[in-house]
């Protein structure tokens, strides 16, 4: 297992607002995924993540490489105690369903614990993604710390996966595993990328959806 630091690319544009305008994500941390390792509608390009100063909410934005304006289903897995096991009751899976529309988008966000138990619905029919006219590539969402059962500065592991539209238990693409200590004040959180071999990480991820 290799650990490497993931730095902020440039100074962030400003606080994150869930309004489907993605410009404020410029300068926030992200992990990048190469093209061509999944069907185009499920092929992840970047996963952005950050917090706003003095606010206890985790914010995310996922961008895919291409889109034919089909539905995108995302599972964001959080190993909240940083022990490498995502299947414990204290862990979380954030499920996001994104459907671009001609005008706006439809985004649903639900949170489950590591054993699959339902915790909360965060959003239903929210307009947090790009419309078809805007390309249908990017979607953003946020989840409060208390729903995730975490506190500021808590170190955790996470990764995102897209699943097949007709086969929700089948993983199409994944990001690298990221170690993150989200903050709720000004300053740079601890961010790192944990690089696992592709075969090992995919095997672990498939078990989590089964």
């Amino acid at each position: 297992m290799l650990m490497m630091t993931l730095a902020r690319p440039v100074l962030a544009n400003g606080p994150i607002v869930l309004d489907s305008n993605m410009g404020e994500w410029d300068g926030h941390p992200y992990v990048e995924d190469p093209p061509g390792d999944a069907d185009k509608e499920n092929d992840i390009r970047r996963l952005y993540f950050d917090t706003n100063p003095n606010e206890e909410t985790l914010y995310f934005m996922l961008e895919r490489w291409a889109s034919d304006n089909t539905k995108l289903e995302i599972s964001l897995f959080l190993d909240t105690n940083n022990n490498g096991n995502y299947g414990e009751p204290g862990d979380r899976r954030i499920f996001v369903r994104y459907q671009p529309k001609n005008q706006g988008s439809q985004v649903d966000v639900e949170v489950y614990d590591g054993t699959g138990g339902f915790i909360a619905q965060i959003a239903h029919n929210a307009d947090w993604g790009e419309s078809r006219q805007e390309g249908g590539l990017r979607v953003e969402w946020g989840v409060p710390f208390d729903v995730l059962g975490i506190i500021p500065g808590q170190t955790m592991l996470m990764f995102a996966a897209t699943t097949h539209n007709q086969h929700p238990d089948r993983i199409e693409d994944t990001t690298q595993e990221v170690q993150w200590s989200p903050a709720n004040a000004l300053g740079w959180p601890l961010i790192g990328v944990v690089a696992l071999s592709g075969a090992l990480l995919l095997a672990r991820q498939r078990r989590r959806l089964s």
Side-chain angles (χ1 to χ4, degrees):
M1 182 180 294
L2 175 65
M3 174 78 177
M4 60 183 178
T5 300
L6 182 67
R8 289 176 182 267
V10 293
L11 186 64
N13 274 351
I16 299 160
V17 179
L18 297 178
D19 56 4
S20 76
N21 295 316
M22 307 300 177
E24 72 261 24
W25 282 101
D26 291 344
H28 289 277
Y30 64 86
V31 59
E32 192 153 10
D33 194 67
D37 55 355
D39 293 339
K40 67 175 184 177
E41 68 270 16
N42 294 305
D43 198 357
I44 300 169
R45 181 176 185 178
R46 288 177 177 174
L47 173 69
Y48 286 80
F49 50 95
D50 214 341
T51 56
N52 284 334
N54 304 312
E55 183 181 335
E56 295 189 357
T57 297
L58 298 189
Y59 291 100
F60 302 92
M61 190 269 278
L62 188 136
E63 178 181 7
R64 50 184 168 181
W65 280 98
S67 171
D68 53 8
N69 290 315
T70 56
K71 178 176 65 176
L72 179 64
E73 294 189 347
I74 305 159
S75 286
L76 183 73
F77 295 89
L78 300 174
D79 172 19
T80 59
N81 64 359
N82 196 45
N83 70 350
N85 182 353
Y86 288 79
E88 298 173 330
D91 297 324
R92 296 291 185 267
R93 178 171 74 96
I94 304 171
F95 176 72
V96 180
R97 183 183 296 107
Y98 163 47
Q99 178 65 68
K101 300 291 187 179
N102 289 333
Q103 300 291 330
S105 65
Q106 178 180 319
V107 179
D108 300 329
V109 180
E110 300 165 356
V111 179
Y112 298 83
D113 68 24
T115 67
F118 177 78
I119 293 179
Q121 183 168 60
I122 302 300
H124 179 62
N125 290 341
D127 186 11
W128 290 350
E130 291 182 329
S131 68
R132 290 175 178 170
Q133 294 178 348
E134 293 168 322
L137 296 175
R138 298 182 289 181
V139 57
E140 60 184 353
W141 66 94
V143 181
F145 280 28
D146 59 350
V147 176
L148 298 173
I150 64 171
I151 60 174
Q154 182 170 330
T155 302
M156 61 185 181
L157 294 168
M158 68 178 184
F159 72 93
T162 56
T163 52
H164 194 279
N165 289 340
Q166 279 73 47
H167 305 281
D169 59 340
R170 192 172 92 194
I171 288 178
E172 291 292 308
D173 197 13
T174 64
T175 65
Q176 288 180 295
E177 196 169 37
V178 176
Q179 188 178 62
W180 184 25
S181 297
N184 69 337
L186 290 173
W188 289 15
L190 169 66
I191 304 168
V193 175
V194 180
L196 300 176
S197 72
L200 175 60
L201 184 56
L202 182 59
R204 286 173 54 182
Q205 291 154 352
R206 288 189 186 282
R207 286 200 299 271
R208 290 168 201 148
L209 287 184
S210 61

